[in-house]
Amino acid sequence: MFFSSSYTAHGASSPWSEEEFSRIRLVTGQETLGEAGKVMLGLQFELKEGWKTYWRSPGDAGFPVSLDLTGSDNLESWQFYWPVPHRFTLFGLQTFGYSKEVVFPFEIQAKDPQKDVTLRGTASYLLCKEICIPFDAEVTIRLPAGEAFPSLEAGIVDTYVRQVPGLGAETELDVTDSFLEGSGEDMVLKVYGSAMGHGFQKPDVIVEGPPGFSFSAPEVVLHENGSKAEFTIPVSTHKETKGVLEGKQITLSLVDGTKGAEFKTVSRYKDTSGDKSSGLFAFVPILGLALLGGFILNLMPCVLPVLSLKLMSVIKHEQGNHHGVRKSFLATSFGILTSFWILAAAASLLKVAGFSVGWGIQFQQPLFLIAMSGIVSLFAANLFGWFEFLAPGGIVNRAVTASEKQGISGDFLKGMFATLLATPCSAPFLGTAVGFALSRGTWEIFAIFTFLGIGMSLPYLVVAAKPKLASFLPKPGTWMIWLKSVLGLLLLGTVVWLLSVLLVQIGWLATALVAVLLILGMIALAVKSLAIGKRAIVVSFLAILSLAVPYKFSVSSEKVPATDYWTPFDQAEIVAEVTQGKVVFVDVTADWCITCQVNKKLVLEQDEILTLLQGDNVIPMQADWTLPSDTITAYLESYNRYGIPFNIIYGPGAPEGIVLSELLTIDEVLSAFGQASKQ
């Protein structure tokens, strides 16, 4: 046997699975499960001299090691970790992986810590030297229940756990700055790192970026006795790429021997504070796009659910009261602006806290959906005439009743709710403006969101500037009674839509309970024989119960494509399919995104496009963002997008992808397909 290892097989390890050039096994850091049922194990490789296997991002060739444990007993979940990799260069190709020996730590959680866990799995890996050979190895190990104590293999598991960024490998390493320089063929990424203690020995930076970009081995210059390092990394793009790296997310892995640290950042050019005029000049077009995108938002189908709120605020104005008209429309505009400022503040705070942010992501939160369902139900009940006056101390009732009055508070609230219910849509130009804002700092976010609010407020501001325009509106009359009922029914339709989105997130039982509580609230409001104060108490109690439902009855679910021809989104598969000459159409969608549903009905489900999507040479991928997904969020951010819909087509003629408009057209999709399919 050509292998040599200081580790021998014990009860805390599985038998070796041996091939001609490698052998692998499972090792565990504990002999037993312990009280928590959580154990760190390792997938151990020993490789023959000259052979290597691959990291999570293999580089120019190869595919990563994977471990599938779905056939195991009493296993709740597992988390696979990647030790610090090494760079290999062969025939000008850059790859990242491991040679000689490596252990991939992974942590398991037992369903029942009082019962044994039996792990059965398949490890898939690729071995390369001058040639590459794929292997699948069956591995199994049993972990009995019992009080935790370390195994004889705990040392080797701990050694490689300390080589995982985030679990110990990052000790003493830090990336202090990174920015782009140059453009085109002369573009480079500059990275600055520091190392405490003994300083750098053989530092390297591995860059993971969006499709269509590659990053060469860095030129390294050490400073201050090796405690500081400057990395210059050439950036190249496919010869036909039209993508822009600025504003897209990249991951930097700072590596030095067995030490390593990972840093996610957004690639951008260095801030040249000495030339503020040019920066401001470059910012002006984005503000223009924000203004235009906000205005177009008024025309999007997502605004239709709040049509009643807007229409009733218009037709109830006294035709000759120009001063009242002006105040009313200014109040609505200020309500819209206030909502955008709230969204900007929330986005800024989430970014500072390290969370991913996006346009419309509040619709991924069950509590928001329940709250909006309740508020819209109250507006519908108000339009039906079930309550008409202000109850002392009733906060929700006060807000809704105020919206029915011809006061500033009612018009202000209409503007706020119109904005909140409009956010499931991404209008043309809005995606570009929001993407620019969310990839930058707080002041840019507030500036762009302010212009979005001004754009959406433009119709109201125009009427406020020229109150005589209100004279063209229809005169109030008995027809308004019928109209109020119709508009109330439209709002109830909005509630049904909100509940359909909620259904995906918390399951049938929890959604049904919320719906029952909403119906009971509507019934309570309709009982006019009951004092309004008592009705308000009942509605408030039911509202609290509905907000508590997800915590008790929610059932998590995993979204799958609704039709057979759509395959689940897998970013790693895109390059492989395009390399084989296929066209990949990616549709990032969500149940709460009304623009996405319009695109489906008017374009993607039309016969001409369906024929293309179901073709033998086309891979339609659907990334469903109805539920929060870090993978989809990172993918959107790599294209400087923070909202949906997002559609992109890859192919031999467009390996970097062709990004489509928010509102699709059949001609645009056909043209992009034609360009992407060119060999």
Side-chain angles (χ1 to χ4, degrees):
M1 176 63 64
F2 61 80
F3 295 103
S4 63
S5 175
S6 59
Y7 302 97
T8 56
H10 298 281
S13 64
S14 70
W16 287 103
S17 176
E18 302 193 23
E19 303 291 348
E20 183 178 357
F21 307 108
S22 66
R23 65 176 183 172
I24 70 172
R25 66 172 181 171
L26 297 179
V27 293
T28 175
Q30 290 178 197
E31 292 283 356
T32 51
L33 286 174
E35 183 178 352
K38 183 176 291 186
V39 181
M40 186 69 77
L41 298 93
L43 178 63
Q44 183 181 5
F45 281 72
E46 288 186 354
L47 309 177
K48 192 174 181 179
E49 185 68 31
W51 291 82
K52 62 181 182 291
T53 193
Y54 293 94
W55 186 50
R56 67 173 185 232
S57 294
D60 294 329
F63 64 78
V65 172
S66 65
L67 177 63
D68 184 2
L69 297 175
T70 52
S72 302
D73 296 331
N74 194 30
L75 178 63
E76 176 71 24
S77 61
W78 74 93
Q79 176 70 44
F80 195 81
Y81 296 104
W82 299 92
V84 172
H86 305 288
R87 184 189 298 267
F88 301 98
T89 303
L90 181 65
F91 304 126
L93 298 178
Q94 303 286 327
T95 58
F96 309 105
Y98 314 89
S99 61
K100 296 182 181 178
E101 183 178 58
V102 64
V103 175
F104 296 94
F106 64 97
E107 189 174 45
I108 68 159
Q109 175 63 58
K111 290 182 180 178
D112 184 354
Q114 305 303 316
K115 296 181 181 179
D116 296 352
V117 169
T118 301
L119 299 181
R120 301 184 189 91
T122 302
S124 301
Y125 61 100
L126 183 70
L127 289 182
C128 290
K129 194 177 180 182
E130 284 81 11
I131 61 172
C132 292
I133 307 173
F135 292 101
D136 290 319
E138 302 299 321
V139 290
T140 183
I141 193 171
R142 177 175 167 271
L143 292 169
E147 185 178 351
F149 62 92
S151 72
L152 295 175
E153 307 296 351
I156 188 171
V157 174
D158 291 343
T159 295
Y160 281 90
V161 167
R162 289 193 296 270
Q163 295 181 27
V164 175
L167 298 181
E170 71 283 357
T171 304
E172 303 176 347
L173 298 183
D174 188 25
V175 170
T176 57
D177 197 8
S178 66
F179 53 84
L180 296 171
E181 286 185 348
S183 61
E185 297 180 357
D186 298 324
M187 181 185 295
V188 297
L189 176 64
K190 302 284 286 191
V191 178
Y192 293 86
S194 65
M196 309 290 285
H198 299 293
F200 286 110
Q201 303 302 313
K202 294 182 179 179
D204 191 7
V205 171
I206 301 172
V207 185
E208 298 170 85
F213 298 90
S214 58
F215 305 85
S216 303
E219 298 179 6
V220 185
V221 178
L222 297 179
H223 304 282
E224 300 182 18
N225 296 322
S227 64
K228 306 290 184 183
E230 176 184 348
F231 303 88
T232 303
I233 306 167
V235 181
S236 58
T237 62
H238 189 276
K239 64 181 181 179
E240 296 183 10
T241 187
K242 298 179 182 178
V244 177
L245 183 58
E246 183 185 15
K248 296 180 180 177
Q249 181 172 292
I250 58 176
T251 300
L252 305 175
S253 294
L254 177 59
V255 173
D256 190 23
T258 59
K259 298 178 181 179
E262 293 178 10
F263 302 88
K264 292 185 182 295
T265 185
V266 175
S267 56
R268 56 171 59 93
Y269 285 90
K270 189 173 184 179
D271 182 21
T272 55
S273 56
D275 188 11
K276 295 183 180 178
S277 60
S278 62
L280 180 61
F281 181 77
F283 193 51
V284 169
I286 298 297
L287 295 178
L289 290 178
L291 190 70
L292 188 57
F295 174 74
I296 295 177
L297 199 58
N298 286 284
L299 309 177
M300 300 299 290
C302 45
V303 177
L304 294 179
V306 294
L307 176 62
S308 60
L309 306 182
K310 295 184 176 185
L311 186 57
M312 293 306 297
S313 69
V314 173
I315 62 179
K316 295 185 68 176
H317 287 300
E318 296 180 9
Q319 302 297 315
N321 186 2
H322 293 168
H323 179 68
V325 170
R326 177 177 286 112
K327 285 202 309 182
S328 173
F329 278 75
L330 285 176
T332 302
S333 301
F334 188 62
I336 293 172
L337 279 169
T338 300
S339 287
F340 275 99
W341 288 333
I342 292 173
L343 293 173
S348 300
L349 290 174
L350 288 172
K351 284 200 67 177
V352 171
F355 293 96
S356 296
V357 292
W359 179 255
I361 60 172
Q362 69 270 27
F363 281 79
Q364 296 175 343
Q365 307 303 320
L367 292 183
F368 176 83
L369 291 170
I370 294 172
M372 293 307 297
S373 298
I375 291 170
V376 176
S377 297
L378 288 174
F379 275 113
N382 191 244
L383 286 172
F384 292 146
W386 293 346
F387 62 98
E388 298 290 346
F389 61 89
L390 190 61
I395 296 176
V396 175
N397 191 41
R398 184 185 298 273
V400 178
T401 307
S403 70
E404 178 68 14
K405 298 174 68 178
Q406 291 189 25
I408 292 178
S409 59
D411 295 303
F412 175 83
L413 286 170
K414 286 187 178 70
M416 288 196 67
F417 288 124
T419 305
L420 290 177
L421 283 176
T423 51
C425 282
S426 180
F429 308 114
L430 183 141
T432 302
V434 171
F436 184 92
L438 296 181
S439 65
R440 280 156 171 80
T442 300
W443 81 267
E444 291 102 328
I445 292 175
F446 270 91
I448 289 173
F449 273 59
T450 297
F451 271 76
L452 285 169
I454 294 173
M456 188 172 176
S457 302
L458 278 178
Y460 298 96
L461 293 173
V462 169
V463 176
K466 296 290 185 181
K468 290 184 178 180
L469 292 174
S471 62
F472 294 99
L473 299 173
K475 303 289 184 181
T478 55
W479 61 272
M480 290 178 56
I481 299 175
W482 293 98
L483 180 60
K484 287 175 63 176
S485 298
V486 171
L487 296 177
L489 291 174
L490 288 177
L491 283 182
L492 290 182
T494 302
V495 175
V496 173
W497 166 68
L498 289 168
L499 292 176
S500 70
V501 178
L502 184 67
L503 172 65
V504 178
Q505 302 185 15
I506 64 175
W508 279 101
L509 176 60
T511 304
L513 289 174
V514 172
V516 169
L517 292 171
L518 286 174
I519 292 171
L520 291 176
M522 297 281 284
I523 293 174
L525 289 172
V527 181
K528 292 189 176 183
S529 60
L530 192 65
I532 188 66
K534 293 182 179 180
R535 282 187 275 168
I537 293 173
V538 172
V539 170
S540 299
F541 177 71
L542 293 173
I544 294 172
L545 285 181
S546 66
L547 292 173
V549 165
Y551 296 101
K552 184 65 177 177
F553 300 98
S554 178
V555 177
S556 60
S557 60
E558 182 176 349
K559 286 285 292 179
V560 296
T563 51
D564 293 337
Y565 60 89
W566 287 104
T567 61
F569 174 71
D570 186 348
Q571 189 173 358
E573 285 294 317
I574 294 175
V575 175
E577 298 291 355
V578 172
T579 302
Q580 297 177 20
K582 295 186 177 181
V583 175
V584 179
F585 181 92
V586 177
D587 176 35
V588 185
T589 184
D591 290 352
W592 46 261
C593 173
I594 301 180
T595 311
C596 302
Q597 311 312 319
V598 172
N599 282 339
K600 286 181 175 60
K601 294 297 183 184
L602 299 184
V603 179
L604 299 182
E605 293 180 356
Q606 296 301 306
D607 292 341
E608 198 170 3
I609 303 300
L610 275 178
T611 302
L612 276 178
L613 293 177
Q614 298 178 28
D616 294 335
N617 204 43
V618 176
I619 308 295
M621 283 189 181
Q622 190 172 89
D624 198 302
W625 210 31
T626 302
L627 304 175
S629 168
D630 292 339
T631 300
I632 296 175
T633 300
Y635 177 70
L636 289 170
E637 289 178 353
S638 71
Y639 285 92
N640 199 25
R641 287 295 185 92
Y642 295 82
I644 55 176
F646 177 72
N647 298 100
I648 184 170
I649 301 178
Y650 304 88
E656 78 289 346
I658 301 172
V659 178
L660 303 179
S661 305
E662 286 94 341
L663 278 174
L664 298 178
T665 65
I666 292 178
D667 289 342
E668 180 189 24
V669 175
L670 292 176
S671 175
F673 261 104
Q675 182 178 343
S677 61
K678 293 179 180 177
Q679 298 290 336

